[in-house]
């Protein structure tokens, strides 16, 4: 195609000159006998337009020669009489001017075209949605980003009226602002409103609207719109948190003031009463100092300045002591405990105590009608597992995945129970620092069990059994290649931490490469624990890596523990590879799906 175009650039002027000369030579009677300056001038213009100024110049010279040779007396000679020289010079000058004009025109056309392309690219690639409206508010241009932000195509968006887009409570403010900005040329205003996407989801959109109605070349109201839902949500959480924190701080302060004033008044008359009042005051001081230290912890976690003092100690002693002091303080509650001895860990004693206190505190707080709390500690697989069970209000599944987030409080409990939604977030951070993990089992109305796991100190080196080709097993994973059915069976064994998940991921990759397996049977049914940080890495990096090593189908058997599935679910959603992944509750279903894929892929190949 390119080549044909290049040839035509040369061919076009040659043909043009040939045809013009032949016509002029053979049809003199019809077109007259005058010197054909005008005709050849046209040839030069056409050649310049089509083939560029260089070929235009050459055409100009060829035409002059032809005119001199064929049409100026004496014909068939290159002799030019002096009186003709002026005509000839004018002819050359006129054609050169035409060529120069063409050149300038082409340049400016190119410039404006490239400016237009740049502008178009800018509008299309901009992170913001850009909308141009005329003075009546009708959209005249909508950038493609609209699809991502609102779910509508530009065409659909242009045809929608504001009442279909903007939520009713914002409609009046929105149209008023738009009207007012359209009356003030060259002004800018920001508008924030709640919009309804095509799929019905509500999003906060913020637009900067510029009145360029009078600006030559634009003549429009230009809006830069972005989705600020996340920011608005954070601001709302922050405001709510400040309100809540002030309230939470004010209550114990008021109590302390009241109780100490009363105690002071009765210190000489009724010492028993004043002692009781001081005790209540002390309890409020404790609550206050817990709130303040939680707030300090949060800011330290944010800045990465949380200090830890690691030492070797027996967690079972710490747990027994903590349960005992709770039993003394909350004599109305029944604390049963099953604590295995010899849980030697390497950790920060105070921080782990903080985690345990927070779990037991919550178990008491969120069980207004039940008095029983069960605390267990077991040593398993070179780890120690601690659980705190209550029979209180429980947590519904939809909230489970959020309760370890900062400031998160389940709506229904936020109304009834004091708290800032920081305790579990801090606990999760402490457990991360101990290479630990956590998970929850809960049913609304029936109670919850909060669990955490941390490794024992000097956990005996993980003894692996392997044939270095098709089989591998350690305490967290087993890998086995099935020759006959051509699939790699991977079983995750029990408790997992961030470290075990990362190491096992690499191990699977190694065996995929060794066995060249295309099918993976990945069994999570025995997994407990949730490590969501590894999920994104799993989807973004690990799946593409095993895809590159040849895996095509991945049957994923979910854990029986719902909380543990959250990380798996996220990895699955983040999958950036071409691997076909299917989630199953039952082992048999996953296996038979995998075998079907093998048959299909064999048929294809
Ligand atoms: P706080 O208790 O101060 O609000 P936490 O971070 O300790 O903050 O807990 C976060 C949320 O998780 C609580 O607001 C509550 O809704 C829920 N929650 C925590 N523990 C329990 C429990 N044992 N039973 C029911 N809900 C709980």
């Amino acid at each position: 195609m390119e080549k044909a175009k290049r040839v035509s650039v040369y061919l076009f002027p040659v043909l043009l000159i040939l045809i013009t000369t032949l016509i002029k030579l053979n049809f003199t009677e019809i077109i007259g006998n005058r010197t054909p300056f005008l005709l050849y001038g046209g040839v030069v213009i056409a050649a310049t337009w089509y083939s560029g100024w260089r070929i235009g110049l050459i055409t100009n010279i060829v035409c002059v020669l032809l005119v001199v040779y064929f049409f100026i007396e004496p014909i068939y000679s290159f002799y030019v009489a002096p009186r003709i020289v002026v005509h000839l010079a004018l002819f050359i000058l006129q054609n050169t001017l035409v060529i120069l004009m063409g050149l300038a025109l082409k340049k400016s056309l190119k410039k404006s075209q490239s400016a237009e392309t740049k502008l178009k690219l800018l509008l299309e690639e901009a992170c913001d949605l850009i909308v141009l409206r005329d003075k009546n508010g009708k959209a005249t241009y909508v950038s493609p980003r609209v699809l991502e932000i609102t779910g509508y195509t530009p065409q659909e968006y242009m045809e929608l009226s504001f009442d279909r887009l903007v939520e009713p409570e914002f409609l009046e403010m929105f149209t008023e602002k738009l009207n007012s900005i359209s009356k003030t040329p060259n002004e800018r205003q920001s508008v924030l409103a709640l919009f309804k996407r095509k799929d019905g989801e509500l999003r906060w959109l913020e637009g900067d609207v510029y009145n360029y109605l009078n600006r030559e070349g634009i003549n429009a109201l230009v809006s830069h719109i972005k989705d600020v839902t996340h920011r608005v949500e954070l601001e709302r959480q922050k405001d709510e948190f400040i309100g809540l924190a002030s309230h939470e701080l004010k209550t114990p302060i008021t109590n302390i003031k009241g109780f100490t004033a009363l105690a002071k008044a009765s210190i000489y008359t009724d010492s028993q009463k004043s002692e009781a009042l001081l005790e209540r005051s002390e309890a409020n001081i404790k609550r206050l100092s817990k709130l303040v230290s939680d707030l300090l912890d949060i800011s330290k976690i944010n800045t990465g300045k949380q200090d830890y003092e690691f030492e070797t100690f027996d967690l079972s002693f710490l747990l027994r002591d903590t349960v005992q002091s709770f039993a003394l303080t909350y004599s109305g509650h029944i604390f049963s405990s099953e604590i295995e001895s010899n849980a030697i860990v390497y950790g920060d004693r105070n921080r782990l105590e903080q985690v345990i206190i927070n779990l037991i505190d919550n178990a008491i707080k969120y069980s207004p009608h039940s008095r029983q709390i069960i605390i267990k500690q077991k040593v398993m697989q070179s780890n120690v597992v601690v659980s705190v069970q209550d029979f209180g209000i429980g947590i519904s599944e939809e909230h489970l995945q959020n309760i370890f987030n900062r400031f998160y409080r389940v709506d229904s409990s936020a109304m009834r129970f004091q708290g800032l939604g920081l305790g579990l977030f801090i606990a999760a951070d402490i457990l991360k620092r101990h290479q630990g993990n956590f998970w929850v089992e809960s049913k609304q109305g029936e109670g919850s069990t909060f669990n955490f796991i941390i490794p024992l100190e000097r956990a005996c080196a993980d003894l692996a059994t392997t044939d270095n080709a098709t089989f591998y097993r350690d305490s967290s994973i087993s890998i086995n290649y099935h020759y006959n059915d051509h699939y790699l069976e991977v079983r995750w064994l029990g408790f997992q931490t961030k470290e075990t998940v990362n190491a096992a991921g690499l191990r699977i990759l190694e065996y995929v490469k060794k066995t060249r397996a295309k099918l993976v049977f990945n069994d999570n049914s025995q997994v407990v624990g949730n490590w969501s940080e590894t999920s994104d890495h799993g989807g973004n990096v690990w799946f593409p890596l095993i895809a590159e090593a040849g895996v095509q189908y991945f049957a994923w058997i979910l854990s029986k523990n719902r909380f543990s599935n959250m990380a798996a679910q996220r990895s699955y959603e983040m999958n950036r590879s071409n691997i076909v992944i299917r989630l199953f509750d039952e082992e048999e279903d996953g296996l038979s799906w995998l075998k079907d894929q093998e048959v299909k892929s064999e048929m294809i190949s």
Side-chain angles (χ1 to χ4, degrees):
M1 201 63 196
E2 266 298 292
K3 206 173 164 197
K5 169 103 190 114
R6 238 179 298 142
V7 172
S8 76
V9 162
Y10 295 104
L11 213 59
F12 178 71
V14 173
L15 283 175
L16 212 59
I17 292 172
L18 256 172
I19 294 167
T20 314
T21 314
L22 284 174
I23 291 175
K24 182 67 189 155
L25 285 175
N26 294 310
F27 300 99
T28 326
E29 288 109 68
I30 305 169
I31 44 180
N33 208 5
R34 288 168 57 93
T35 320
F37 284 132
L38 205 63
L39 209 58
Y40 281 97
V43 170
V44 174
I45 294 173
T48 311
W49 169 77
Y50 188 78
S51 309
W53 66 275
R54 284 192 190 85
I55 294 188
L57 273 178
I58 299 170
T59 314
N60 193 13
I61 296 166
V62 175
C63 287
V64 172
L65 294 175
L66 287 173
V67 170
V68 171
Y69 189 74
F70 286 114
F71 306 106
I72 292 180
E73 292 292 341
I75 56 170
Y76 304 128
S77 134
F78 287 110
Y79 173 76
V80 181
R83 65 188 168 82
I84 303 294
V85 170
V86 180
H87 285 279
L88 218 52
L90 276 175
F91 174 68
I92 295 170
L93 190 70
Q94 169 205 308
N95 287 350
T96 316
L97 280 177
V98 166
I99 291 169
L100 288 177
M101 254 167 64
L103 197 66
L105 206 72
K106 216 168 186 174
K107 255 191 181 165
S108 80
L109 211 70
K110 213 171 176 181
K111 225 176 179 177
S112 84
Q113 258 172 359
S114 98
E116 200 175 298
T117 324
K118 269 188 204 151
L119 186 70
K120 210 169 157 213
L121 255 172
L122 218 71
L123 289 177
E124 285 176 7
E125 293 304 313
C127 300
D128 295 356
L129 155 65
I130 296 180
V131 179
L132 306 191
R133 294 186 183 277
D134 64 15
K135 61 179 186 306
N136 302 319
K138 187 168 171 17
T140 51
Y141 171 82
V142 177
S143 68
R145 189 73 59 186
V146 72
L147 189 63
E148 202 179 301
I149 295 184
T150 67
Y152 292 105
T153 62
Q155 207 50 45
E156 287 172 333
Y157 190 88
M158 278 164 103
E159 277 153 25
L160 283 178
S161 57
F162 289 135
D163 55 352
R164 293 273 308 279
L165 288 166
V166 183
E167 275 298 278
E169 68 261 44
F170 293 90
L171 192 59
E172 200 182 320
M173 173 279 291
F174 183 83
T175 40
E176 259 173 27
K177 274 210 167 174
L178 220 60
N179 278 340
S180 105
I181 181 79
S182 61
K183 285 179 194 137
T184 43
N186 298 321
E187 279 294 309
R188 182 192 77 113
Q189 266 200 39
S190 284
V191 192
L192 175 70
L194 200 55
F195 278 68
K196 195 186 246 166
R197 278 174 55 90
K198 193 177 180 183
D199 56 15
E201 194 191 339
L202 294 179
R203 307 289 299 178
W204 285 97
L205 299 189
E206 186 176 57
D208 278 333
V209 190
Y210 298 81
N211 181 338
Y212 288 154
L213 285 167
N214 295 339
R215 197 171 281 193
E216 206 45 54
I218 302 180
N219 305 102
L221 290 172
V222 181
S223 314
H224 294 230
I225 302 165
K226 48 177 163 292
D227 188 328
V228 292
T229 311
H230 185 62
R231 195 193 76 202
V232 172
E233 182 56 26
L234 281 182
E235 274 166 14
R236 190 195 59 75
Q237 272 184 6
K238 196 183 78 195
D239 290 346
E240 202 177 280
F241 176 73
I242 291 172
L244 199 66
S246 330
H247 174 78
E248 288 285 307
L249 291 170
K250 203 173 151 223
T251 317
I253 292 173
T254 317
N255 288 348
I256 294 164
K257 263 165 75 184
F259 291 141
T260 38
L262 287 173
K264 199 174 152 193
S266 57
I267 196 159
Y268 297 115
T269 52
D270 189 345
S271 64
Q272 252 181 343
K273 185 181 168 193
S274 90
E275 199 182 323
L277 285 165
L278 284 175
E279 267 171 20
R280 293 175 74 177
S281 179
E282 197 186 358
N284 277 284
I285 292 173
K286 274 192 190 151
R287 191 172 139 200
L288 196 62
S289 81
K290 159 104 175 51
L291 281 171
V292 174
S293 71
D294 274 1
L295 288 171
L296 281 174
D297 278 351
I298 287 293
S299 76
K300 282 187 192 155
I301 290 173
N302 284 346
T303 52
K305 288 189 183 142
Q306 183 89 310
D307 290 331
Y308 281 82
E309 278 176 32
F310 280 84
E311 59 180 318
T312 302
F313 67 96
D314 192 338
L315 189 74
S316 55
F317 283 118
L318 174 67
L319 199 58
R320 276 197 199 104
D321 283 354
T322 318
V323 175
Q324 226 163 39
S325 47
F326 264 102
L328 287 174
T329 323
Y330 295 89
S331 49
H333 282 74
I334 307 157
F335 293 90
S336 8
S337 57
E338 288 171 29
I339 300 174
E340 275 182 19
S341 305
N342 270 333
I344 312 293
V345 296
Y346 182 66
D348 184 317
R349 190 192 294 263
N350 292 330
R351 294 279 174 205
L352 288 174
E353 186 182 14
Q354 193 180 340
V355 174
I356 299 165
I357 290 178
N358 184 52
L359 295 186
I360 304 181
D361 255 342
N362 278 352
I364 297 170
K365 184 162 74 176
Y366 296 109
S367 308
H369 306 298
S370 146
R371 302 187 163 274
Q372 195 181 9
I373 315 267
I374 303 172
I375 295 112
K376 287 186 188 164
Q377 187 222 68
K378 277 187 194 145
V379 174
M380 294 169 92
Q381 287 180 0
S382 351
N383 295 300
V384 50
V385 183
V386 176
S387 64
V388 176
Q389 183 178 12
D390 66 59
F391 301 88
I393 60 169
I395 306 162
S396 62
E397 203 165 307
E398 80 216 67
H399 294 292
L400 272 185
Q401 57 185 324
N402 294 320
I403 56 168
F404 286 90
N405 291 347
R406 198 171 14 167
F407 307 143
Y408 194 85
R409 310 200 70 218
V410 177
D411 290 347
S412 54
S413 56
M415 301 295 153
R416 293 189 286 148
F417 304 95
Q418 292 166 340
L420 288 177
L422 298 178
L424 290 179
F425 175 73
I426 297 170
D429 191 70
I430 295 171
L431 292 168
K432 280 176 205 172
R433 292 289 291 264
H434 286 80
Q435 274 95 52
N437 200 345
F438 51 85
W439 68 101
V440 194
E441 292 141 81
S442 186
K443 248 192 180 162
Q444 200 165 15
E446 291 183 18
S448 320
T449 308
F450 281 76
N451 311 269
F452 74 83
I453 173 177
I454 53 170
L456 286 174
E457 203 220 7
R458 275 193 284 280
C460 37
D462 207 359
L463 282 180
T465 31
T466 176
D467 66 357
N468 274 323
T470 58
F471 174 76
Y472 176 91
R473 185 187 172 102
D474 64 25
S475 62
S476 65
I477 197 159
S478 91
I479 303 172
N480 196 2
Y481 184 66
H482 292 256
Y483 269 113
N484 295 340
D485 296 318
H486 313 292
Y487 74 91
L488 195 70
E489 175 193 340
V490 177
R491 290 190 193 268
W492 296 77
L493 308 169
F495 305 111
Q496 301 292 338
T497 64
K498 192 172 155 190
E499 283 67 30
T500 62
V501 172
N502 286 338
L506 287 176
R507 192 70 69 192
I508 298 171
L509 179 63
E510 179 189 333
Y511 278 80
V512 165
K513 285 184 180 164
K514 277 181 178 166
T515 59
R516 295 169 192 267
K518 289 186 186 139
L519 313 171
V520 174
F521 175 79
N522 185 65
D523 179 15
N524 271 23
S525 61
Q526 298 174 49
V527 165
V528 270
N530 175 305
W531 206 266
S532 46
E533 273 98 337
T534 51
S535 317
D536 293 12
H537 176 81
N540 287 324
V541 181
W542 188 73
F543 273 115
L545 278 177
I546 60 165
E548 206 179 294
V551 173
Q552 291 173 359
Y553 298 98
F554 196 92
W556 199 332
I557 316 302
L558 291 173
S559 166
K560 301 282 175 263
N561 179 290
R562 293 273 150 218
F563 188 75
S564 302
N565 286 335
M566 287 163 193
Q569 198 82 36
R570 189 165 164 82
S571 265
Y572 167 71
E573 281 160 16
M574 301 289 292
N575 172 27
R576 295 272 168 279
S577 71
N578 296 331
I579 300 178
V580 182
I581 307 175
R582 276 285 163 80
L583 304 179
F584 297 93
D585 283 324
E586 300 303 329
E587 208 174 293
E588 300 79 53
D589 298 341
L591 211 52
S592 79
W593 174 78
L594 209 58
K595 287 184 179 163
D596 281 351
Q597 306 316 309
E598 191 212 339
V599 176
K600 273 188 215 157
S601 65
E602 263 181 6
M603 272 162 52
I604 292 168
S605 62

